[in-house]
Amino acid sequence: MGHEWLSLWSFLYGPLSIFLVGLYGLLTQKNLIKMAISINIMDYGVNLFIISLGYVPSAEAPIYTDAVKTYLPVFADPLPQALVLTAIVISVAVTAFILALTIKIHSQYGTTDLTKLGEMEL
Amino acid sequence: MIMQNPVLLIAVPLLLAFLIPVFSSFFKGAVRFIPVLAGGFNVIAAALLIPQASGDVAVTEIGGWASAYGISLLFSSQIGYMILAVNLTALLAIFYYILNERDLGSPLAYPIAFTLALSGANGMIMTGDLFNLFVFMEMTAIAGYIIAVHKKGYLGTFRFVVLSSVGSAFFLIATASLYNATGFLNMAMAGKNLGALSTPFISVISVLFIMALSSEAELLPLNGWVAPVYRESSGAGSVFFASVFSGAALFAVIKVMLIVFGINYAYVHQGLLVLGLVTLAAGEAAAFKQSNLKKMVAYSSIAQSGLIIAAVAAAMRSGVLHNGLFNAALFQLINNILAKALVLLGIALLGQATLKEIGGAGTRKKWLGVFISAGVLSLIGMPGFAGFWSKLFLVRELVGNRMFVFTLVFLLAALFEAYYYLRFLQSLFLGKSTTAASLPKTSWVTYILLFVLAALIILIGFAPDVIIRAVSGLSLGGVL
Amino acid sequence: MKKVIALLLFLGLLFFLGTGLEQGLKLGDRNTLAGKAGEAYLKRTVNSADPSASPSQVEYGSETDIEENAANTLTAVVVGYRSFDTLGEVTVLFLAATGVMALFFASGKKKRLALAKPNFILSVSSGFLLPLIILFGAYVFTHGHLTPGGGFQGGTIIAAAVLLLYMAGNAYKAPATGLKVLEGFSGAGYLLIGLAGLLLTGFFLNNFLPSGKMGALFSAGVIPVVYILIGLKVSAELSGIVSDYMGED
């Protein structure tokens, strides 16, 4: 029973909590940089979630080597790992863009505080 | 044979976009014509592919891998018409950029963004793989960020980036969960294996997918970026948002709903129907209060997305696919793409922001007034224009299927829409300008762009059966 | 008040997502590969009639003609079976680099970002480390089909070398135009390989080179070629982003 709970926590609720911490940050933080960090936390949670879905009990990395020469049912699922690779690259791309955008907002309005920016926008 | 592969609609713009930095070091000025090349190629290729496609969906495998495991593209005559409409409006918007807005911002970045936006939109429309849809969604999103900052609208763009990042996180959770539970990323295979799963799981997955796509499809809950981005974007940029991105994303929602969830899960479509109707009502109410023209069109665009999604959900909810209603929704989608592009280009040419400022501009620039009126009247649904037929078909099908609540909401929304668009026309022709500023000059070449769109709207208005036959029934034949 | 609402949303979503997904997911010890796409990728039996039932043809170190001959199955998925995703991913990174460039375009006088003065150890060792880092990056992306790593990882390592140069002294300036051209060329190269597949075999992004012996450096057909192009492209893109942030044109 305890084992089952641990597996649910580490493969489902844990990663989802990290994702939701990021979402919480997006909703409550006023600083644009902190919002960018929140987006990153969100992405980490999602990536951890995807990786944990590819977990197979006592498995090896999905690479053929001298030790594992032919297909044996001992490999971890390669597909979630491939998805995470793509997702990481895309989140890097978005982070680069959003930080550059923050720099431009700061140089135009002189602040990165969302409440002050909201007043200027209107 | 090889040249008839729909993958070229994605690959050729990609190749041209990668070549832009290479070309720019040799011929600086010529770079801005590359998006025209890409758009022109896509329009011609789509027009050539349509006659060879049938109503059934044909699957094109990428890399030669069996479509359940590899990535595949779906193509049918309906998808072809959708691609044609999206690429044609995009091409006209790119011409508009070259003629009127080429001095805004970096001369290298915007051609790249426009070209890749075409690839991304075509990919979203055609792909048959869930994760591939995510990649194309991100491609259009980032191209969209670049297009949104065209006129230094940083704050609106920031909101856009945040909301679509949340959306893509939802999409990843849904896709990965679906893979774990069904074993496939291919939409048709995932949908086939979905039957063995429990109701709570399927409802969570469907909510996640709808939320994820809601950012680009301009549906609630993640559409808070739409109004600020439209307000601050350039003329060509606003057409890309209203016609290209939202058209592609709406089609992607329809595709996911149809292929993954099918017609077997009434509760999924019931939820989608409610979401669509709420979006429709909220969008029309917000547009009604606006005096800023671009924001008005932005909220109207949100409302139309809601309407189309609600109609599609209603068509699928009772366990059989109501072809008539489904086709009417697709017809409305295509009409909306064309008319919104015309109205937004017209508003950009007026050069004024609010209802008061444009007072009487239609009498001073008669041709512009005529073209804007054609777009607006089609959006309202005036007889003789394309929009009339799609709204008529919608009402006929809704009443025929005894969906009276939907009909009531739809008619009320249409009334609101007619009111604020007619208010716009009244101000355009009868109002008095409050600003002394003279209107910017418009070249006759720009008028040709507007003429093409207006002519299409009127042509469809005269012969609606051609289009309705073209978009009739997305058949599942080739997919399953 | 806002925080309370956000907290409630947190708990509500955790409950909604958790309890819903729990019903369908095969987590932890209950997860198997049987019948999934991942199993067919590992066995390289994607195109056989019944991928999960047919036996795998894979044999490390021998010259068998199997679907994808990369020893690293992850690479076989990323640049083989799902290469179209990777093409899109490369494009997304290209777009982001373009977006950063567009944002920093013509922002008045360009002034280089003032970094802390590098200390003696950093400025001396950077010249010594630079070739090693670049060599390591190139190793990672040329061996992507055999060992963990690949174009993205190797490209990032090389871009780190460029960042190191920026941090080590004020004299260095990345060649912005050259990087952009390199990006364009390597991206176009990837696409041309895809189009060559279309012309030669009838399928976009299909392999048209001999696949060799699994585990050898020259094996797996177009995969290493594509990964080298991706490595060049990613290193150029990330270096371009670094130099855009440093703000000198």
Side-chain angles (χ1 to χ4, degrees), chain A residues 3-4 7-8 11-13 16-17 19-21 23-24 27-28 30 49 52-57 62-66 68-71 75-79 81-83 85-87 89-90 92-101 103-104, chain C residues 2-3 6-7 9-10 13-14 17-19 21-22 25 27-31 33 36-39 41-44 56 58-60 71-74 77-78 82 89 92-93 96 99-100 103-104 107 146-148 152-153 214 227 238 241 245:
Chain A
H3 188 189
E4 181 74 357
S7 135
L8 263 183
F11 293 120
L12 180 64
Y13 286 94
L16 278 182
S17 304
F19 162 69
L20 290 171
V21 165
L23 198 62
Y24 175 87
L27 291 170
T28 53
K30 296 273 179 257
F49 176 66
S52 61
L53 291 183
Y55 170 85
V56 172
I63 300 176
Y64 289 102
T65 55
D66 279 326
V68 191
K69 287 198 167 201
T70 54
Y71 174 77
F75 287 117
D77 196 341
L79 189 58
Q81 304 187 0
L83 302 190
L85 178 61
T86 307
V89 172
I90 288 174
V92 166
V94 172
T95 308
F97 187 85
I98 202 167
L99 289 177
L101 197 59
I103 292 176
K104 291 304 287 185
Chain C
K2 204 174 173 185
K3 285 190 179 166
L7 195 64
L9 190 76
F10 175 97
L13 269 177
L14 187 65
L17 295 178
T19 49
L21 293 177
E22 203 180 301
L25 293 182
L27 290 170
D29 291 346
R30 275 181 292 153
N31 195 14
L33 277 176
K36 284 188 180 171
E39 188 194 19
Y41 294 149
L42 278 165
K43 288 170 139 184
R44 314 286 202 271
S56 163
V58 179
E59 209 188 328
Y60 184 80
N72 184 348
T73 309
L74 193 54
V77 175
V78 169
R82 300 186 66 86
E89 180 187 356
V92 167
L93 202 56
V100 172
L103 280 169
F104 289 129
S107 50
L146 304 177
T147 52
F152 294 100
Q153 296 86 334
M214 183 186 261
Y227 246 173
L238 294 180
I241 290 177
Y245 269 95

Side-chain angles (χ1 to χ4, degrees), chain B residues 150-219:
Chain B
H150 206 165
K151 277 173 80 179
K152 300 192 189 301
Y154 299 128
L155 291 174
T157 311
F158 194 89
R159 202 181 286 189
F160 183 23
V161 179
V162 168
L163 287 174
S164 63
S165 301
V166 175
S168 56
F170 281 131
F171 196 97
L172 278 175
I173 293 180
T175 308
S177 308
L178 206 57
Y179 170 72
N180 181 279
T182 65
F184 290 94
L185 286 173
N186 179 273
M187 289 180 193
M189 288 301 287
K192 211 160 122 190
N193 292 354
L194 203 60
L197 296 163
S198 63
T199 308
F201 182 77
I202 295 172
S203 22
V204 168
I205 293 283
S206 68
V207 167
L208 284 173
F209 270 126
I210 294 165
M211 293 234 275
L213 288 160
S214 71
S215 149
E216 272 191 69
E218 305 184 354
L219 295 168

Side-chain angles (χ1 to χ4, degrees), chain C residues 59-64 69-71 145-146 210-221:
Chain C
E59 209 188 328
Y60 184 80
S62 77
E63 204 159 331
T64 44
N69 212 358
H145 55 302
L146 304 177
S211 50
K213 199 192 282 183
M214 183 186 261
L217 183 56
F218 292 99
S219 66

Side-chain angles (χ1 to χ4, degrees), chain A:
Chain A
M1 185 62 203
H3 188 189
E4 181 74 357
W5 181 86
L6 194 65
S7 135
L8 263 183
W9 170 254
S10 51
F11 293 120
L12 180 64
Y13 286 94
L16 278 182
S17 304
I18 297 176
F19 162 69
L20 290 171
V21 165
L23 198 62
Y24 175 87
L26 268 187
L27 291 170
T28 53
Q29 293 308 311
K30 296 273 179 257
N31 188 309
L32 299 186
I33 300 276
K34 287 185 183 167
M35 289 177 79
I37 293 173
S38 301
I39 291 180
N40 269 319
I41 294 175
M42 218 165 67
D43 287 337
Y44 291 143
V46 172
N47 291 342
L48 192 58
F49 176 66
I50 301 176
I51 273 291
S52 61
L53 291 183
Y55 170 85
V56 172
S58 56
E60 304 235 0
I63 300 176
Y64 289 102
T65 55
D66 279 326
V68 191
K69 287 198 167 201
T70 54
Y71 174 77
L72 299 165
V74 294
F75 287 117
D77 196 341
L79 189 58
Q81 304 187 0
L83 302 190
V84 164
L85 178 61
T86 307
I88 288 174
V89 172
I90 288 174
S91 103
V92 166
V94 172
T95 308
F97 187 85
I98 202 167
L99 289 177
L101 197 59
T102 311
I103 292 176
K104 291 304 287 185
I105 290 176
H106 185 262
S107 70
Q108 180 152 336
Y109 298 94
T111 176
T112 53
D113 190 310
L114 207 58
T115 38
K116 286 180 194 158
L117 286 169
E119 288 159 19
M120 284 180 215
E121 195 183 8
L122 296 172

Side-chain angles (χ1 to χ4, degrees), chain B residues 5 14-15 18 21 61 63-66 69 71 106 109 116 129 131-132 135 139 142 146 177 179-181 183 198 201, chain C residues 20 23 25-26 36-38 41 47 51 68 80 82 85 91-92 95 98 102 105 180 184 187 191 198 203-204 206 233:
Chain B
N5 199 321
L14 275 182
L15 181 64
F18 287 140
E61 290 155 352
W65 307 117
Y69 298 88
I71 294 168
S106 155
L116 290 176
D129 185 277
F131 193 73
N132 199 232
V135 171
M139 203 194 280
I142 299 186
I146 298 176
S177 308
Y179 170 72
N180 181 279
S198 63
F201 182 77
Chain C
Q23 309 270 327
L25 293 182
K26 300 184 193 74
K36 284 188 180 171
Y41 294 149
N47 275 352
E68 287 292 355
R82 300 186 66 86
D85 277 348
T91 313
V92 167
L95 263 171
T98 309
F105 172 78
K180 211 70 198 153
L191 255 153
L198 182 63
F203 291 106
F204 187 66
N206 199 358
K233 189 169 166 62

